[in-house]
Amino acid sequence: MCEAKNNWQPDSEQIALKQSKKQAEQFWASNKYDVMARGYASYKQISARYRDASTAADYEAAMHSISHTLSVLPYTMKGLRTSVEHMWGYVSKHVHEEERAVFQHIFDTLEWQSETSELEPDAFETAAPLLLLIQEFAIKYDVTYIKQTMANSFPRLAENHQQDHN
């Protein structure tokens, strides 16, 4: 009886695909809530690109879609609300009742519905206090996924935070 040996080795194309996929997934994970804050339709479209990706070129195109979205689409109050609610879901499991009450108070005082369908140039500044609070709780309670998201997304949040401390 002959023993078959398993000498299979991944080729360079498979290795490159695996690396592209990992890089793209990390890029998406760190930017998905920023994309969502600009509109749920863009979020769903990019999610589908990742789901359907099968080649390095597909993953590259998905990353390009994220970069393009982040550079051209403005934040919307509806998108920011959805994004805040998703991130809060990760953090809310860890906070104390007093912290939950602070979050809820700020959330309830924001004007989430736009009177018009016009662009909302102040949308980000309006939601920034909640984003900062989520970031603070993610750090305090070591919610790694949201800490990483906040560290890599919402660049204006970092700018606002620095301005507040100057």
Side-chain angles (χ1 to χ4, degrees):
M1 210 189 232
C2 290
E3 282 188 41
K5 294 197 177 198
N6 187 358
N7 290 330
W8 181 84
Q9 294 289 321
D11 64 17
S12 60
E13 204 172 294
Q14 291 170 321
I15 292 169
L17 175 60
K18 189 174 183 176
Q19 289 172 339
S20 293
K21 182 178 180 180
K22 183 178 180 178
Q23 179 185 11
E25 287 173 345
Q26 288 172 338
F27 190 63
W28 177 230
S30 65
N31 288 288
K32 70 192 307 182
Y33 295 115
D34 201 338
V35 168
M36 186 184 288
R38 296 160 193 276
Y40 199 68
S42 295
Y43 170 83
K44 292 298 285 181
Q45 180 185 31
I46 293 171
S47 288
R49 283 194 100 142
Y50 275 95
R51 183 188 64 239
D52 298 339
S54 62
T55 66
D58 291 342
Y59 288 110
E60 188 67 34
M63 287 192 299
H64 177 75
S65 291
I66 292 170
S67 296
H68 180 74
T69 298
L70 295 176
S71 67
V72 301
L73 285 183
Y75 292 105
T76 67
M77 288 306 294
K78 186 176 180 182
L80 281 158
R81 180 181 180 146
T82 302
S83 189
V84 162
E85 289 172 334
H86 278 254
M87 291 185 294
W88 176 244
Y90 285 93
V91 175
S92 65
K93 302 168 192 167
H94 306 281
V95 301
H96 299 292
E97 282 307 311
E98 302 83 28
E99 295 166 327
R100 184 180 307 280
V102 168
F103 175 88
Q104 196 63 53
H105 174 73
I106 296 170
F107 187 90
D108 291 343
T109 60
L110 294 183
E111 185 66 42
W112 292 108
Q113 295 298 324
S114 177
E115 300 276 328
T116 67
S117 60
E118 303 277 323
L119 290 179
E120 302 161 305
D122 297 332
F124 183 84
E125 287 73 17
T126 301
L130 274 180
L131 293 168
L132 284 167
L133 194 58
I134 290 171
Q135 182 180 43
E136 179 184 316
F137 291 152
I139 292 167
K140 180 177 181 179
Y141 295 108
D142 197 26
V143 183
T144 304
Y145 179 59
I146 299 301
K147 280 190 335 187
Q148 290 173 341
T149 294
M150 295 305 243
N152 296 310
S153 290
F154 301 104
R156 290 170 55 193
L157 188 63
E159 293 167 15
N160 287 1
H161 190 64
Q162 286 176 344
Q163 288 172 359
D164 289 347
H165 288 86
N166 287 339

